[in-house]
Amino acid sequence: MGRLSQPYSLEQVEQALRSLGETPIWSSLPRALRQHKCVNFKAFVNVWPGGTVLVQGGEAPKLEQALKERLGEAIEDREPQAEGGPAWHLFVDGSCPVNKLAGKVPTAAGWGIAVYRFDQRPAEIFVELFGPVVTEAVSPLSLGAMCGSNNTGELSAMAEALLWLRDECPEERTPAVLHYDSEYVANIVLGRNRAHKNVELAQKLQGLYAEVQASRPVRLSHVKGHSGCAGNERADQLAAQGTEGRFSLQSKRWAKHAEAAEAAGLANKACVITVKVEKGRRPPTPATGRAKKARRLALADPGDAESSPGVAPVL
């Protein structure tokens, strides 16, 4: 089962289905859910009253991708800007190399943003932003992350991108597109999912999105991770630098708080060392070590076992 990254009206979904050779016939299910059984795909399309679109069935991934392509074209047509006009495109990504340990031991996470201005061809990177996820609440760079993880890296990247648009972007009214590969981030930004962890970070992100939307046209655009998209790949590389404790002074916010940035970087480096120790082979406890030694002695020479405490002599 797959969920589309943005909400759509029933009419928009019908238009996309028709472009794929389908004739939408909707069945009414409980809770006002509408469902269409596809003819050309082994899949069902479900549309909820709030605009959430779910695709399920054996060919769900294929249909989901096709719908995203069709609906993505429709979004471009609805953008409040002239065709070929200027727009900021920000590719965001987060990283945590040892995400399985997040929440168990201190883990290093990072965020990265590749900013393009698409009013000229070929498009070139305008600015590169990256840094570690800040978990120290008293830091002036804190966004509310409680720990380093993939999710806090993704959320931090989106928040930093919105902060750049709000405070540092040289053009105030130019439309912006935020390209992400994490469905989790989009669901938090748009309020579809309720955050159970890092609540402060999620609330901060939602507030920033509403604030930036009030000053310029902004939309979210999903891109599949590691699919060859240059902007996404670069954002991923920048986020990896953040996990190493490195940060970009191209961000005026981070340059202003350089001392706090250094502290956050050192904290991330310390996390890396901690994780390396945690992942290594743990030394045996004294009790375990003595027992193993006694067993080895007993096997080598039964007479030695008598002098080993806690081990019965072998007869």
Side-chain angles (χ1 to χ4, degrees):
M1 178 184 291
R3 176 161 57 180
L4 302 195
S5 57
Q6 299 189 44
Y8 299 100
S9 67
L10 194 65
E11 291 74 17
Q12 289 172 317
V13 177
E14 286 182 344
Q15 181 182 355
L17 286 170
R18 289 193 183 96
S19 71
L20 295 172
E22 292 287 328
T23 301
I25 300 175
W26 300 103
S27 299
S28 297
L29 300 179
R31 298 183 181 179
L33 170 66
R34 298 293 186 91
Q35 184 180 83
H36 167 67
K37 181 179 180 181
C38 296
V39 175
N40 299 319
F41 300 86
K42 294 179 180 179
F44 294 86
V45 178
N46 305 292
V47 182
W48 297 83
T52 298
V53 181
L54 295 175
V55 184
Q56 60 184 136
E59 292 186 329
K62 180 181 178 181
L63 177 57
E64 179 186 353
Q65 184 61 35
L67 284 173
K68 284 182 176 180
E69 291 176 357
R70 299 305 192 279
L71 290 166
E73 293 173 0
I75 291 174
E76 291 291 342
D77 293 339
R78 296 198 308 273
E79 281 301 300
Q81 65 182 82
E83 183 177 354
W88 292 102
H89 288 251
L90 291 80
F91 291 83
V92 303
D93 205 2
S95 177
C96 180
V98 288
N99 193 59
K100 290 183 178 179
L101 296 176
K104 301 175 183 177
V105 298
T107 47
W111 56 270
I113 308 166
V115 182
Y116 294 78
R117 194 176 187 280
F118 282 16
D119 59 342
Q120 295 180 347
R121 296 293 187 271
E124 296 182 358
I125 292 181
F126 181 82
V127 68
E128 294 182 332
L129 310 172
F130 57 91
V133 171
V134 180
T135 57
E136 182 61 48
V138 297
S139 171
L141 295 171
S142 172
L143 295 169
M146 300 295 293
C147 68
S149 67
N150 277 342
N151 283 344
T152 57
E154 299 281 3
L155 293 172
S156 295
M158 185 67 78
E160 292 284 355
L162 290 167
L163 283 168
W164 185 85
L165 283 171
R166 187 191 72 179
D167 302 332
E168 302 181 31
C169 184
E171 299 169 356
E172 294 182 358
R173 301 296 302 174
T174 303
V177 184
L178 295 163
H179 301 269
Y180 63 93
D181 61 12
S182 168
E183 299 283 7
Y184 168 79
V185 169
N187 290 331
I188 292 295
V189 172
L190 299 174
R192 296 185 193 136
N193 288 357
R194 180 181 177 183
H196 298 287
K197 297 180 179 179
N198 299 288
V199 175
E200 182 181 347
L201 175 55
Q203 292 175 343
K204 176 78 172 179
L205 181 55
Q206 291 169 353
L208 284 170
Y209 185 66
E211 193 174 352
V212 174
Q213 271 194 318
S215 64
R216 72 172 75 233
V218 182
R219 70 176 177 90
L220 302 179
S221 175
H222 181 262
V223 58
K224 186 177 180 180
H226 307 292
S227 59
C229 173
N232 176 258
E233 295 293 342
R234 186 54 186 158
D236 178 71
Q237 294 167 3
L238 294 172
Q241 294 186 49
T243 66
E244 299 170 356
R246 301 170 63 183
F247 55 89
S248 169
L249 292 178
Q250 289 184 302
S251 164
K252 294 179 181 178
R253 191 172 93 90
W254 281 69
K256 179 181 178 181
H257 300 291
E259 187 174 340
E262 288 284 355
L266 290 173
N268 245 30
K269 291 176 182 177
C271 288
V272 173
I273 295 172
T274 301
V275 167
K276 285 182 178 178
V277 173
E278 184 73 17
K279 291 177 71 178
R281 185 175 181 179
R282 297 182 181 181
T285 62
T288 303
R290 285 196 298 269
K292 287 184 177 179
K293 182 178 179 180
R295 284 195 294 272
R296 286 198 302 270
L297 289 172
L299 291 172
D301 185 354
D304 291 342
E306 295 181 3
S307 60
S308 300
V311 178
V314 178
L315 300 179

